[in-house]
Amino acid sequence: MKPANPYLPWEAEIVDRIQETPDIFTWRLRFTDREVARQYGFKHGQFNMLYLYGVGEVAISVMSNEGEELLHTIRAVGRVTRAMMELKVGDHIGVRGPFGSAWPLDVARGKDIVFVTAGLGCAPVTSSIKHVVANRADYGRLVIMQSVRHRNEGLWEPQYDEWRSLPDTQVLLTASRDKTRWPHWHLGRVSVLLDEAQYDKQNCVVMMCGPDQMMADTSRTLVDLGVPGESIHVSLERNMQCAVGHCGHCQLGQHFVCKDGPIFTWPQVAELMRVKGY
Ligand SMILES: Cc1cc2nc3c(=O)[nH]c(=O)nc-3n(C[C@H](O)[C@H](O)[C@H](O)COP(=O)(O)OP(=O)(O)OC[C@H]3O[C@@H](n4cnc5c(N)ncnc54)[C@H](O)[C@@H]3O)c2cc1C
Ligand code: FES
């Protein structure tokens, strides 16, 4: 269900709130209009614009849409997200969406699937990982690589433990700033995991999310290792205002990240990501 006016937010209530780390929290939201709640649907990888009345609006990936509830995990980094962290269960916010392109889960059928994420970059891929796990027979090997700064930011660790035990599945985790060597954890950035990952480089789909530099470096390395550029998909974060391709705030070369992205193939953005400040 899309509103007649894409600028008008629907109202949603915070029905649950989990403080994951000092600056990361998860909201469980329910639309106050039951018809909207019933009809809302998203594709894996899309995002919503969450509006804190009187403060501002931010783009946040849809983590999942369980029953009639919507999950978002948010890191408080600035004006709007810090104010959002103060909200309590029962408070209301505005929601516009879903917007943007989706991960190529259909194209990926029958192929090995490689997820590469850094930081909260896991949020946009979590629903896709769950989809692959729930439809395991449709896909080849599943490799999940995640890098965080400290192990306590590995929010999805209990799920990783569960996924690690699945057949043909590899979960590789690394913490870039931890000094302690934990079981199942590496030390360093995501690049330290690439050598250990086992998948068919010629017949895989890579889905990647995280800081631009990490995605650019990793994509170049994967191409050097023999992964075709078209098989690599990156989810970009840019300043979003309208989210419908009108204002130009999210423009990246010829692309509007809100409308043509946020998910692009590596060849679509490889040259643009060389340009500083784009
Ligand atoms: C498609 C898309 C999906 C996104 N999904 C999520 C998500 O699931 N969860 C989530 O928490 N965020 C997500 N973001 C990022 C989120 O939109 C921004 O963090 C948010 O807009 C920041 O708004 P603010 O007003 O709180 O901070 P601002 O006041 O705009 O920024 C304050 C300071 O924080 C820095 N900053 C801004 N954004 C980030 C960032 N992402 N990481 C680190 N520093 C930053 C700025 O450079 C600035 O210095 C997504 C963004 C896009 C485009
Ligand atoms: S956010 Fe306005 S054009 Fe993309």
Side-chain angles (χ1 to χ4, degrees):
M1 182 178 188
K2 283 268 183 194
N5 180 346
Y7 291 107
L8 276 184
W10 286 307
E11 188 185 55
E13 181 181 342
I14 302 169
V15 293
D16 196 10
R17 183 192 180 288
I18 302 160
Q19 191 70 42
E20 309 272 9
T21 72
D23 64 349
I24 302 174
F25 57 98
T26 296
W27 276 344
R28 194 176 279 278
L29 302 174
R30 191 179 298 145
F31 292 109
T32 50
D33 182 330
R34 295 302 304 276
E35 195 50 32
V36 174
R38 259 195 300 277
Q39 293 206 24
Y40 178 92
F42 79 107
K43 295 191 193 122
H44 304 286
Q46 288 190 301
F47 67 96
N48 280 330
M49 295 298 291
L50 302 187
Y51 178 35
L52 178 52
Y53 302 120
V55 180
E57 208 179 23
V58 288
I60 302 291
S61 304
V62 185
M63 281 268 293
S64 77
N65 178 201
E66 290 173 7
E68 293 182 5
E69 290 175 355
L70 202 56
L71 257 75
H72 285 291
T73 294
I74 304 170
R75 185 193 291 271
V77 293
R79 204 174 56 84
V80 179
T81 47
R82 284 203 190 111
M84 283 177 161
M85 195 160 77
E86 302 304 315
L87 296 192
K88 299 184 175 53
V89 170
D91 286 340
H92 290 81
I93 61 152
V95 179
R96 291 192 293 133
F99 297 113
S101 54
W103 296 110
L105 287 166
D106 284 344
V107 177
R109 275 175 207 279
K111 300 183 179 187
D112 288 0
I113 309 286
V114 181
F115 290 104
V116 187
T117 70
L120 205 52
C122 195
V125 301
T126 303
S127 70
S128 305
I129 298 176
K130 287 184 177 168
H131 174 88
V132 173
V133 167
N135 298 277
R136 203 60 201 86
D138 291 349
Y139 300 95
R141 266 184 77 72
L142 169 61
V143 179
I144 300 166
M145 289 180 255
Q146 169 154 47
S147 145
V148 289
R149 284 175 301 188
H150 299 282
R151 185 187 167 196
N152 69 353
E153 293 175 352
L155 306 184
W156 293 274
E157 200 174 347
Q159 285 178 339
Y160 289 149
D161 288 340
E162 191 189 317
W163 295 334
R164 186 179 285 114
S165 64
L166 297 174
D168 276 339
T169 303
Q170 199 179 11
V171 178
L172 298 166
L173 306 174
T174 187
S176 59
R177 295 193 198 161
D178 262 358
K179 298 275 179 280
T180 316
R181 188 173 271 284
W182 305 98
H184 297 306
W185 283 81
H186 293 67
L187 299 182
R189 293 176 188 273
V190 83
S191 51
V192 303
L193 305 175
L194 295 177
D195 282 346
E196 274 198 40
Q198 291 162 19
Y199 56 96
D200 183 346
K201 298 191 173 48
Q202 294 297 322
N203 191 33
C204 68
V205 170
V206 179
M207 303 181 217
M208 199 183 312
C209 205
D212 278 10
Q213 194 60 53
M214 177 287 270
M215 293 197 288
D217 292 346
T218 308
S219 298
R220 288 182 195 119
T221 305
L222 290 174
V223 169
D224 289 346
L225 289 171
V227 178
E230 295 73 25
S231 303
I232 302 171
H233 302 260
V234 296
S235 180
L236 299 186
E237 282 192 12
R238 287 296 180 277
N239 183 319
M240 303 274 181
Q241 298 286 318
C242 70
V244 291
H246 284 174
C247 72
H249 273 89
C250 68
Q251 196 163 355
L252 177 72
Q254 69 273 39
H255 307 295
F256 290 115
V257 175
C258 64
K259 186 167 69 69
D260 307 323
I263 294 160
F264 294 94
T265 62
W266 173 238
Q268 282 180 298
V269 294
E271 284 311 311
L272 295 168
M273 285 178 77
R274 285 186 197 281
V275 184
K276 262 206 157 39
Y278 241 165

